[in-house]
Amino acid sequence: MKSAPLGREFLESQLPRLLEDQVDLISYRRDASVYPAGRPQAAFRATSTDEVVQVVKIALQRKLPVYVWGAGSTYAGGVNPSSGGIALDVSPMNRILAIDRTRAVVLVEPGVTYGALLEALRPHGLTVGIVPLTGPSGTVGGTISSHGLGTGSPRFQGTGDEVAGLEVVLADGEILCTGSAVLKEAGFFQRYAVGPDLTGLFLGANGAFGVITKIALWTHPIPAHVETMALGFADYPTAANFIAHCQERELFRNVWYGAGYDKAAVAARIAGAAPAPDFCLGLDLRGEPEDVAADRRRLTQAARGYGGDEYPIFNDVFFSKLRRDFSFWYGYAGYFSRSMCALLMTSMESSTMPRFFALLTRFRADYPEFTWGAGTVLCRRGLHGAVIMFYDEQRQWEAARQACIACCEHLLRIGCVPYKTGKVWASLMDNFPAYFKLLQKLKTALDPQRLLAPDNLAL
Amino acid sequence: MRDNSFIALAREFTDDLFHCSRCNYCVEMIWEERGIHHVCPTLLHHNPAPSYSGKGYLAIARALADGEEISQSALVDRLFACTTCGNCEQVCPIGLKPAQLVRALRADLVANAMAPPEVLALADRIAVTQNPSGLPRSERYRWRESTGYEPDGPSNILYLPGCSACYGMAGEAAATLRVLTKIGFALRTLSAEQDRCCGAVLFEIGHLEMARHQGRSTLDLIETSGASQIVTSSAECLEALRHHYPSRLGRESKVPVVHALELLHERLASRKLNSRWVARPSAPGTVALMDSCHLSKKSHGPLGEAGYPRIAREILASLGCRVFPDETAAAYAVCCGAAGGMPQLHPESSLRMARAKLDELVQTGAEAIVCPSPLCAGQLRQANQSIAPVYGLFEFIDTFFESTEGGA
């Protein structure tokens, strides 16, 4: 869409802290994805819900697109202002508003980082269900807007599943509270209230339906004991069967993080110290020591039933350190040091995993100019799979983008569902006709001018 | 603005410009286990817009490299708001160098006559008085008169206190001389007429022409002094002598240079001391050590990896003090605002940074704040509103500990 002229004088009079200098706007052009950068006409660093309302109302009046920014560290192009307009930076909204121990809810503003949140909860003996893998600088708002997962996923699935309710500014400037907080006197404690779950409409939507201004997350006690282990399997099908077996019997109940690595990844980590299995599953178990010990025995026994076994060297040289030294924050572990990388995020059920890794072999053959990697993250149900393509941004940007689109199509065909959709998967939304049609209707109803984060989810 | 040399310079940092994955670590991070509590002093206390961050500087340089027009005034404003402390480089998981990029871009702005007036005024003060504060040259060694110190016979060890100690922390300069003498080092100093600014601050603010001039004259002075060893208590002078001169002048000091901390630590660690240091009754039992960015961050060349935070802690621990925070935190400490020309360019922001640093150190519950860098100690003292006593490290030892026997 083409945005209307900014109306600078008007905007300046309404929003005195508006950033308009090009040197400021450069920082609001793009995230780390292969999706092209946009050029916002202005940026505004909001400090309150009232200011967000003000920006949205002005945007509506002037027909200006609004792209909501947190840390801007995603890989799906969600924040890239492809239609210009205003980059609405909510990172200054970084207050932890309440830690409600009785309700087991923490209420935060969207700009709160996970580092700050964990630090605030720790003295209370609490943590949140999902801590994303990107690192301590990721914001809660950005993570839930783009479907984050990470530590906690084998127990709780994704960040969206741990949201008790939201405060959202809609495209007309109206403020909506979802879940039990729909009744002001009740506040946030339950996701479903009155009728359908409206919270979910705004999760993973990259700001397409509203601007999230408050988030209620459920809290959990910090587990008493932590240990890691690694299991090795001779091939992907048996590993997939093992995962399905454990999920069916809830053997991952004390697993807070689980990551699957292919042979190349394992071999690189152990540096030839031993023959690498085709697939290795690193598991992080947390809970009461006796429960963890019992589950560890059960998991090893189950693995043996599928021809696998404990693979301690991988745990010792890599996986245990990834937890101890880097808290599974892959970004901090220097994962992306070789070059820029494109991440294609998908969800899949466990039997799809062998085809997922087979596809990686195909990508390597079809696009030898890039370095390819892949990993799977264990979820409570199914798996999350990430295809990682390392490329030289200076020379290969456009080729990398084209390759990504082609790879997304292949992933769809084998049953991998887009996750962290943003704009990277947007061209493939026709593959989900009924779902996409409903999204379009909802967009028309909630944001008829299509001003909120246009182009995300192809809306 | 569009300037060919500027674009070429930005391209020198190509690896950095095209590898930033916008993880935002250099903008804001809290990681308790690592001792990281925020990152960038400029974002915290000067301007929170991302264009003032490490990530922002890389994005700006990328735009310049792509040939984009950028307003000169905005560029100057952003680039001269950085303390160049290097904490952004410290937290960068892939080793990008935004602080070094800022220094390089500053140099180009200055070379193209785009320097802010504060930079030119600072250079003028140094040219006239041979110190950044512009105080009379004749006052440089006034503190030495109070010590009544005269070396016993000829000495081959030359003590260079540095401008920040001589003019801002004279007590630390005098205490360094006294303490090092007590542990057996015979030191001598230059005269006020001889000694001069080493140019460290000029390297930081990008006035390379004058920095090189100061560097060459400092090296000439050292090499004609007849000294066999140079001892300095200034982290910035040490960086100039060990890092800037070799890398930017292509000339190393022919005379070995050490920090005063190293001499003290070597004597304590090797147990060569005959003297015993006894705490006076008023001696604080717990101290908050304020680490200098110059001595603790990898952005400052070999200094950042030489282990000074550990050395300072071991010295204080050997005197029986409990030290906060631990060494891990030192690597990620947020700058006090004394570096990078911040006090001259943005005095109010610099003061806010110092006050925040003081608050942070007071919250450790320590009885005193001790700082091995005279520049940082002086900065904290200026900002101090009687909330906590601040000492230079040698000043602390000299004030609260008594040497029972002399000599090594």
Side-chain angles (χ1 to χ4, degrees):
Chain A
M1 67 173 284
K2 191 171 163 58
S3 59
L6 189 61
R8 184 161 292 179
E9 281 178 21
F10 171 79
L11 278 180
E12 277 174 356
S13 67
Q14 300 297 307
L15 297 169
R17 287 184 288 111
L18 199 70
L19 302 173
E20 289 179 287
D21 199 308
Q22 187 197 359
V23 82
D24 281 316
L25 301 183
I26 286 170
S27 295
Y28 292 105
R29 286 180 180 175
R30 55 171 289 214
D31 61 6
S33 70
V34 287
Y35 195 83
R39 283 178 181 265
Q41 290 150 285
F44 185 78
R45 291 170 51 79
T47 56
S48 67
T49 301
D50 287 347
E51 286 188 347
V52 171
V53 169
Q54 202 182 351
V55 170
V56 167
K57 283 186 173 170
I58 289 168
L60 183 65
Q61 198 178 348
R62 311 298 292 189
K63 292 187 172 47
L64 288 166
V66 174
Y67 291 89
V68 187
W69 277 71
S73 56
T74 61
Y75 282 83
V79 296
N80 296 17
S82 45
S83 296
I86 300 175
L88 175 56
D89 184 350
V90 294
S91 64
M93 295 175 69
N94 58 6
R95 292 176 301 162
I96 295 170
L97 300 167
I99 299 172
D100 188 334
R101 300 198 65 165
T102 312
R103 296 170 178 223
V105 161
V106 58
L107 184 64
V108 301
E109 290 185 321
V112 168
T113 64
Y114 277 90
L117 181 57
L118 295 177
E119 186 190 50
L121 290 174
R122 192 171 284 123
H124 301 273
L126 297 172
T127 185
V128 286
I130 307 289
V131 177
L133 302 176
T134 44
S137 300
T139 62
V140 176
T143 306
I144 65 165
S145 296
S146 61
H147 266 322
L149 44 67
T151 304
S153 283
R155 278 174 68 96
F156 306 108
Q157 197 75 20
T159 43
D161 297 282
E162 286 293 291
V163 176
L166 299 170
E167 178 191 87
V168 184
V169 175
L170 300 173
D172 59 4
E174 194 165 337
I175 300 171
L176 166 78
C177 283
T178 67
S180 55
V182 70
L183 182 66
K184 197 177 174 186
E185 289 73 15
F188 293 101
F189 67 93
Q190 189 172 306
R191 172 80 165 258
Y192 285 88
V194 185
D197 170 28
L198 290 181
T199 305
L201 182 61
F202 304 98
L203 304 174
N206 288 112
F209 296 111
V211 182
I212 296 169
T213 47
K214 286 189 183 79
I215 303 140
L217 294 172
W218 280 302
T219 61
H220 303 274
I222 296 174
H225 174 73
V226 185
E227 64 182 64
T228 56
M229 67 185 295
L231 296 166
F233 295 88
D235 54 59
Y236 297 118
T238 52
N241 289 338
F242 162 78
I243 291 167
H245 170 96
C246 294
Q247 286 181 331
E248 183 190 343
R249 289 162 183 78
E250 297 195 346
L251 293 185
F252 294 135
R253 65 195 147 215
N254 283 314
V255 175
W256 279 66
Y257 182 61
Y261 302 87
D262 69 347
K263 187 170 187 163
V266 176
R269 304 290 185 268
I270 64 173
D278 269 12
F279 180 78
C280 198
L281 185 64
L283 298 174
D284 170 270
L285 293 94
R286 302 180 187 192
E288 294 302 319
E290 58 274 22
D291 294 338
V292 168
D295 275 3
R296 185 175 184 143
R297 279 195 300 276
R298 287 188 197 107
L299 287 163
T300 304
Q301 200 176 2
R304 285 176 184 151
Y306 288 90
D309 207 341
E310 284 208 43
Y311 190 61
I313 187 171
F314 186 68
N315 183 49
D316 294 345
V317 304
F318 172 67
F319 194 71
S320 63
K321 290 179 183 167
L322 190 61
R323 182 191 70 73
R324 190 190 62 218
D325 298 343
F326 302 109
S327 304
F328 299 122
W329 282 327
Y330 285 80
Y332 206 86
Y335 257 51
F336 310 128
S337 58
R338 280 181 293 176
S339 52
M340 287 297 283
C341 73
L343 285 176
L344 301 175
M345 309 287 203
T346 71
S347 291
M348 69 187 97
E349 57 98 20
S350 53
S351 68
T352 306
M353 191 177 75
R355 277 173 287 158
F356 172 78
F357 280 108
L359 209 48
L360 183 65
T361 308
R362 178 176 175 169
F363 294 161
R364 282 177 174 142
D366 288 354
Y367 302 99
E369 64 272 36
F370 306 118
T371 304
W372 294 86
T376 50
V377 172
L378 200 58
C379 293
R380 187 174 183 191
R381 299 283 182 249
L383 296 166
H384 167 74
V387 173
I388 309 167
M389 181 182 73
F390 294 97
Y391 65 98
D392 181 333
E393 188 170 287
Q394 195 177 10
R395 295 185 300 109
Q396 296 178 307
W397 171 288
E398 186 54 31
R401 207 166 68 79
Q402 296 300 332
C404 272
I405 293 167
C407 293
C408 287
E409 288 173 5
H410 285 297
L411 287 163
L412 281 184
R413 273 184 229 133
I414 65 162
C416 288
V417 188
Y419 198 81
K420 284 188 183 288
T421 308
K423 298 188 187 72
V424 167
W425 293 80
S427 62
L428 301 171
M429 289 298 284
D430 286 336
N431 285 276
F432 330 104
Y435 177 86
F436 186 36
K437 202 170 167 184
L438 179 59
L439 281 188
Q440 288 173 313
K441 283 179 183 172
L442 289 167
K443 181 74 173 171
T444 303
L446 289 170
D447 179 17
Q449 305 278 354
R450 286 183 155 66
L451 297 176
L452 295 182
D455 306 325
N456 282 333
L457 295 161
L459 294 170
Chain B
M1 60 160 286
R2 191 187 283 275
D3 179 272
N4 288 336
S5 71
F6 213 80
I7 294 168
L9 186 68
R11 283 187 182 139
E12 271 183 35
F13 285 82
T14 295
D15 281 351
D16 294 79
L17 309 191
F18 287 91
H19 282 76
C20 174
S21 62
R22 296 156 185 81
C23 64
N24 228 42
Y25 293 177
C26 59
V27 173
E28 169 61 1
M29 167 144 51
I30 293 175
W31 190 347
E32 215 170 356
E33 292 89 337
R34 289 258 173 143
I36 304 173
H37 287 265
H38 307 298
V39 179
C40 176
T42 298
L43 291 176
L44 289 167
H45 306 293
H46 180 67
N47 193 315
S51 57
Y52 292 85
S53 69
K55 175 178 94 167
Y57 295 139
L58 291 172
I60 291 167
R62 166 92 177 258
L64 286 168
D66 288 343
E68 275 191 46
E69 298 270 355
I70 291 180
S71 115
Q72 181 187 321
S73 62
L75 193 61
V76 168
D77 176 70
R78 301 310 184 277
L79 293 175
F80 284 93
C82 172
T83 68
T84 68
C85 68
N87 213 18
C88 51
E89 297 186 11
Q90 205 72 10
V91 298
C92 178
I94 58 171
L96 302 184
K97 303 181 289 292
Q100 292 174 56
L101 173 70
V102 165
R103 282 184 219 134
L105 294 177
R106 281 182 176 185
D108 217 67
L109 284 171
V110 175
N112 282 291
M114 298 175 204
E118 293 86 351
V119 166
L120 302 177
L122 177 62
D124 285 346
R125 284 199 297 276
I126 290 173
V128 173
T129 64
Q130 285 302 318
N131 72 84
S133 50
L135 291 167
R137 201 170 179 180
S138 57
E139 289 182 15
R140 189 177 191 95
Y141 280 100
R142 182 161 286 177
W143 55 270
R144 204 176 59 182
E145 295 162 15
S146 68
T147 65
Y149 173 81
E150 285 299 329
D152 296 331
S155 168
N156 289 328
I157 306 176
L158 181 64
Y159 174 46
L160 293 179
C163 301
S164 52
C166 285
Y167 291 100
M169 284 288 291
E172 174 71 350
T176 305
L177 206 52
R178 277 196 291 269
V179 170
L180 290 181
T181 305
K182 282 180 189 172
I183 62 171
F185 292 99
L187 307 175
R188 68 184 165 95
T189 58
L190 295 166
S191 67
E193 294 72 35
Q194 289 174 303
D195 205 353
R196 53 187 35 254
C197 170
C198 68
V201 68
L202 295 165
F203 282 112
E204 289 181 358
I205 60 169
H207 206 306
L208 288 191
E209 187 185 345
M210 191 164 170
R212 289 192 180 110
H213 169 74
Q214 293 298 125
R216 277 190 284 269
S217 56
T218 300
L219 283 172
D220 290 345
L221 189 64
I222 287 171
E223 283 162 13
T224 55
S225 69
S228 61
Q229 186 176 40
I230 306 294
V231 179
T232 182
S233 45
S234 159
E236 314 84 73
C237 298
L238 190 69
E239 182 177 10
L241 284 155
R242 282 206 191 150
H243 180 48
H244 292 319
Y245 296 170
S247 63
R248 304 206 189 179
L249 293 182
R251 190 174 155 191
E252 287 188 43
S253 168
K254 290 175 184 164
V255 184
V257 186
V258 295
H259 195 280
L261 283 177
E262 291 172 85
L263 293 187
L264 180 57
H265 182 260
E266 188 262 335
R267 286 290 160 99
L268 289 169
S270 64
R271 301 180 190 282
K272 283 183 186 169
L273 283 179
N274 293 325
S275 59
R276 276 195 324 117
W277 293 85
V278 178
R280 297 191 172 110
S282 58
T286 55
V287 297
L289 185 69
M290 197 212 138
D291 296 278
S292 147
C293 296
H294 290 92
L295 295 179
S296 61
K297 299 207 189 327
K298 59 191 175 190
S299 171
H300 297 277
L303 271 63
E305 289 160 1
Y308 289 104
R310 176 183 53 78
I311 287 173
R313 279 166 179 76
E314 285 179 2
I315 289 170
L316 290 166
S318 75
L319 296 169
C321 296
R322 277 187 74 195
V323 187
F324 300 101
D326 65 20
E327 195 185 326
T328 315
Y332 303 106
V334 178
C335 174
C336 67
M342 203 67 187
Q344 294 83 12
L345 287 150
H346 304 285
E348 288 179 9
S349 301
S350 172
L351 206 57
R352 278 196 293 275
M353 292 172 191
R355 288 194 178 130
K357 192 77 207 173
L358 270 174
D359 288 344
E360 177 194 318
L361 294 168
V362 166
Q363 277 172 21
T364 64
E367 297 161 69
I369 294 168
V370 175
C371 189
S373 158
L375 179 71
C376 304
Q379 166 85 346
L380 289 195
R381 268 203 190 152
Q382 267 203 334
N384 204 345
Q385 294 164 315
S386 303
I387 57 170
V390 177
Y391 301 93
L393 190 137
F394 283 89
E395 198 177 30
F396 177 74
I397 296 172
D398 194 39
T399 306
F400 294 110
F401 295 86
E402 206 159 2
S403 168
T404 54
E405 297 168 48

